Amino acid sequence: MKVESINRNFASPKVQKRDAKPNFTGGIGSVAEQITNALPGKNAITKMKNLEWLKGEIGGILITALGTGLVAPIFIGFNPFVKAPKGSSKEQKKDVANTKIYTAMRQPISAVLAILFQVSALKPIDKFLDQILNNPKYSKNLSLHIDQSALNNDSYLKTITRKELEAEGHKKPSIFGILKDGYAKTKEKRAEYDKLLKDRVKAKADAQLSQLAENFTQTGRIKIGERYLDDKTLAELINNQINDYIGDAQKLKIDNNGLAFYTKRAKTLIGNEDHLREIFKDIPYEEILKENDPNKLQNLYKQTETTLKALLQKEESPEVKEIIQEILNRPEDIRASRVSRTLKRIESIKQACPEHVFSPDKYLDAMSLRNAELDRTITKLKLSKITDPASANGKTITDTIAKVVDNCRFESTDELLKSILHDTDTFDSNVGKLTSKVHKDITKLYKKLVENKYKAPNQIIKILIGVCITLPITCNALNWVYPRFMELVFPKISGVKKGEAQKAGGDK
């Protein structure tokens, strides 16, 4: 049986390997995005995403300081368990209340100083670590698994790229540029600089990765400076990459629910072919796909939405109404593409069946055969894994990569495999292209390994610096600033005895 393009027209050319299975409910955009767009609080969620930077170290410091400066004083100042003894005079009760306030006021000052000293220390620490780990002059003396001299991290690349841009006459406008050029112009210039910096950094990172991968392809080893990655680690990386390829193949399979859904949907599309072509003829999908002008695109998007809503109101068939509603549920810039792909699916469904004559049973058989071929590919990939990475050597690694390339390759004359795999990133018919890709994918995994290995020493170094340097400085500064601040701002409360302050809650 000749099975043509079951998958060919089910996804747009831009959809990559993870979206390559037949998808009648949408192949562009994640489910999370769809759910977010449908929620009433969409704008609030979008704004909250802008606070993702708080997940970093600076964010952690700021959140801790916020709790120390705003939350802790409330519980200290209004601590119900600290009160004057029974029978105390008004003066004694007032002294206890002042003591709690005095102690509580120490927290916001402590928070401010923590921000000043800890945040200001982060950048120099990061710059120091970047030099040690990315400069081959120093990194060659470190563990190979944290040596980033071959694949520099982004912060180091940004530092050297900024210097290069400055030497070329490109400098990021400061906020004071607003006084000279105005807010809008300054914002535009800063955005242009940021884009230039981002593009340069990405180009450098890509070049380093390509160079290391090319050397790996030629020699069969990953070389960092004058050293080579050990065979055991490289074998583990290869196995992990094979797992990724297996996952990609599994995502192309259609589960039992999918088989039932796609069979039913195919019957609907074929049964309503003429009707669908008629009602969708006024959707300007070809014009939208060719148009680049943003203003014209917006008008075309509105036209498409208006037409689809009108079709939905007039449509009598529940199955066709469901298709129209699914298209309307997509983002406006995808709707026209969805219309185009829906019409193309009709042809791809016919081509999937013997002699291009559709029947539900024949189409189900074609999809089942598709799954069987994917299972075969998955099994071959599983068998190509290195069983004992600890005993791997250069020949084991070279032979395994050759097997992986062979298992990810399909013959251009094999219509079935070609129809399943030709639109994916993982599989190809070109041996040379696949060989380069596999080596590059493994190199990317090596980069992730180095980044992950670096996190532990990075945190340990920062903790040691914090405990041995930053914390003592912050405490000394607090002991000097706090009494003077209280004497200046709250002279009456600052007269409370230190011993009473300790009894009310102690230093936090």
Side-chain angles (χ1 to χ4, degrees), residues 17-18 20-22 242-255 370-371 373-375 377-379 381-382 420-421 426-427:
K17 58 190 175 185
R18 300 188 186 278
K21 71 166 65 174
I242 293 173
N243 286 336
D244 285 347
Y245 293 156
I246 291 171
D248 293 334
Q250 288 173 334
K251 286 179 174 64
L252 293 171
K253 289 183 62 179
I254 308 170
D255 61 22
R370 179 186 195 277
N371 279 353
E373 285 296 321
L374 285 168
D375 281 332
T377 298
I378 290 169
T379 300
L381 284 169
K382 287 180 178 178
I420 301 169
L421 306 175
T426 300
F427 306 95

Side-chain angles (χ1 to χ4, degrees), residues 12 23 32 102 132 193 205 258 268 274 375 443:
S12 75
N23 192 341
Y102 183 89
I132 296 297
Y193 178 88
T268 299
D274 294 337
D375 281 332
T443 306

Side-chain angles (χ1 to χ4, degrees), residues 161-360:
T161 304
R162 285 192 186 99
K163 292 179 181 178
E164 291 175 358
L165 290 175
E166 189 171 352
E168 295 172 13
H170 301 289
K171 194 171 183 180
K172 186 172 184 177
S174 68
I175 56 173
F176 298 108
I178 296 174
L179 301 175
K180 177 184 177 182
D181 300 322
Y183 174 78
K185 188 66 175 176
T186 302
K187 183 180 179 181
E188 182 182 345
K189 287 183 177 180
R190 288 172 68 88
E192 289 175 356
Y193 178 88
D194 288 340
K195 184 179 184 307
L196 180 60
L197 176 65
K198 182 180 178 181
D199 291 344
R200 288 278 188 95
V201 168
K202 185 178 184 304
K204 287 180 183 294
D206 289 345
Q208 289 182 347
L209 186 69
S210 297
Q211 180 61 46
L212 193 63
E214 178 62 26
N215 183 266
F216 177 29
T217 304
Q218 298 297 326
T219 64
R221 305 186 71 184
I222 292 180
K223 185 178 182 181
I224 303 94
E226 298 300 320
R227 298 181 291 177
Y228 292 93
L229 186 66
D230 61 281
D231 292 333
K232 176 179 178 295
T233 302
L234 184 52
E236 290 171 347
L237 290 176
I238 292 171
N239 281 349
N240 288 336
Q241 189 57 58
I242 293 173
N243 286 336
D244 285 347
Y245 293 156
I246 291 171
D248 293 334
Q250 288 173 334
K251 286 179 174 64
L252 293 171
K253 289 183 62 179
I254 308 170
D255 61 22
N256 291 333
N257 291 332
L259 290 173
F261 175 81
Y262 295 136
T263 303
K264 180 182 177 182
R265 179 54 61 88
K267 186 177 179 180
T268 299
L269 290 174
I270 297 297
N272 294 276
E273 177 180 358
D274 294 337
H275 180 53
L276 287 169
R277 293 190 187 281
E278 177 64 25
I279 65 174
F280 285 154
K281 68 180 182 180
D282 293 328
I283 303 293
Y285 54 86
E286 292 184 355
E287 192 176 349
I288 288 175
L289 294 174
K290 295 176 182 177
E291 186 57 65
N292 294 317
D293 187 296
N295 294 325
K296 291 181 179 179
L297 278 173
Q298 282 301 319
N299 292 331
L300 291 171
Y301 292 155
K302 290 178 182 177
Q303 178 186 336
T304 300
E305 182 176 10
T306 302
T307 304
L308 288 170
K309 286 182 176 179
L311 290 173
L312 187 63
Q313 290 294 325
K314 293 188 296 183
E315 185 56 51
E316 296 179 357
S317 167
E319 293 85 0
V320 175
K321 286 187 76 169
E322 183 180 2
I323 293 172
I324 297 172
Q325 186 62 62
E326 287 173 2
I327 296 172
L328 272 170
N329 290 341
R330 309 304 297 168
E332 63 177 14
D333 58 332
I334 295 173
R335 289 170 185 155
S337 174
R338 289 283 297 163
V339 171
S340 174
R341 288 165 53 202
T342 298
L343 297 176
K344 288 179 180 179
R345 283 172 194 152
I346 296 173
E347 292 304 319
S348 68
I349 290 167
K350 293 177 183 177
Q351 292 173 6
C353 299
E355 300 177 359
H356 298 177
V357 177
F358 170 79
S359 77

Side-chain angles (χ1 to χ4, degrees), residues 46-66:
T46 302
K47 290 179 180 178
M48 289 176 67
K49 284 185 178 180
N50 295 329
L51 299 176
E52 287 184 345
W53 61 274
L54 286 174
K55 293 190 295 186
E57 292 173 323
I58 293 179
I61 293 171
L62 293 178
I63 291 172
T64 301
L66 188 67

Side-chain angles (χ1 to χ4, degrees), residues 335-474:
R335 289 170 185 155
S337 174
R338 289 283 297 163
V339 171
S340 174
R341 288 165 53 202
T342 298
L343 297 176
K344 288 179 180 179
R345 283 172 194 152
I346 296 173
E347 292 304 319
S348 68
I349 290 167
K350 293 177 183 177
Q351 292 173 6
C353 299
E355 300 177 359
H356 298 177
V357 177
F358 170 79
S359 77
D361 288 341
K362 291 176 181 178
Y363 189 58
L364 180 60
D365 288 343
M367 289 190 292
S368 299
L369 181 59
R370 179 186 195 277
N371 279 353
E373 285 296 321
L374 285 168
D375 281 332
R376 183 169 172 270
T377 298
I378 290 169
T379 300
K380 287 164 63 180
L381 284 169
K382 287 180 178 178
L383 292 174
S384 67
K385 293 175 69 173
I386 299 172
T387 53
D388 184 15
S391 62
N393 54 36
K395 187 177 185 307
T396 307
I397 289 166
T398 303
D399 291 346
T400 302
I401 292 178
K403 288 179 185 177
V404 173
V405 170
D406 186 58
N407 293 335
C408 289
R409 185 179 68 87
F410 59 86
E411 294 289 347
S412 57
T413 55
D414 187 333
E415 292 294 338
L416 177 56
L417 276 179
K418 183 180 178 182
S419 69
I420 301 169
L421 306 175
H422 85 291
D423 271 341
T424 67
D425 285 345
T426 300
F427 306 95
D428 205 291
S429 60
N430 187 303
V431 177
K433 184 178 176 182
L434 263 177
T435 301
S436 297
K437 181 192 181 310
V438 171
H439 284 86
K440 193 167 187 176
D441 287 343
I442 296 169
T443 306
K444 289 178 182 178
L445 280 187
Y446 163 71
K447 184 174 184 177
K448 288 182 181 178
L449 170 72
V450 174
E451 290 172 350
N452 291 332
K453 291 284 187 181
Y454 164 65
K455 288 179 182 177
N458 173 273
Q459 291 300 319
I460 292 172
I461 291 170
K462 287 181 177 177
I463 290 171
L464 290 174
I465 291 176
V467 171
C468 299
I469 300 175
T470 310
L471 185 60
I473 292 175
T474 305

Side-chain angles (χ1 to χ4, degrees), residues 27-80:
I28 303 177
S30 68
V31 175
E33 289 173 348
Q34 297 175 42
I35 294 173
T36 300
N37 290 332
L39 290 174
K42 173 189 171 184
N43 293 333
I45 294 172
T46 302
K47 290 179 180 178
M48 289 176 67
K49 284 185 178 180
N50 295 329
L51 299 176
E52 287 184 345
W53 61 274
L54 286 174
K55 293 190 295 186
E57 292 173 323
I58 293 179
I61 293 171
L62 293 178
I63 291 172
T64 301
L66 188 67
T68 301
L70 297 181
V71 180
I74 296 173
F75 291 95
I76 296 173
F78 297 96
N79 188 348

